[in-house]
Amino acid sequence: MSTSAEASGDRSIAAGHAIRQALSGDGAVAMYTEKSFTLPPEAFALPDVAPPGLANLPDAANLFVGRARELALLDEEFAPLLDVTDTSP
């Protein structure tokens, strides 16, 4: 197996074997962690009821130009799931 590598051009990177970390370009940021862990599936489960004061839900997007019928159908389908009371001040 050959270990030679060749790269050309500004900020190019070449490696004959694996590279643990390589950065190239303005604003490149390196992040390194010594230890990490994986969250269990139950950590991603949504609660049955939103916690009091939850106010970080996004507003409805207005990106669907000319899709009033489709948006109305979506609103109708999701209405039972979106029965949320905003308790924020």
Side-chain angles (χ1 to χ4, degrees), residues 10-89:
D10 292 344
R11 300 179 180 148
S12 60
I13 299 172
H17 291 287
I19 297 176
R20 182 171 180 162
Q21 187 174 50
L23 304 172
S24 177
D26 293 338
V29 176
M31 293 185 172
Y32 177 77
T33 180
E34 188 68 32
K35 296 180 182 179
S36 65
F37 62 92
T38 303
L39 293 174
E42 56 270 13
F44 297 98
L46 296 175
D48 292 332
V49 178
L54 182 65
N56 63 344
L57 300 174
D59 292 332
N62 294 321
L63 302 175
F64 297 101
V65 177
R67 302 283 185 186
R69 180 182 157 276
E70 289 83 355
L71 286 173
L73 289 170
L74 286 172
D75 286 343
E76 183 180 321
E77 288 297 317
F78 284 108
L81 301 174
L82 299 176
D83 188 19
V84 177
T85 303
D86 184 4
T87 60
S88 62

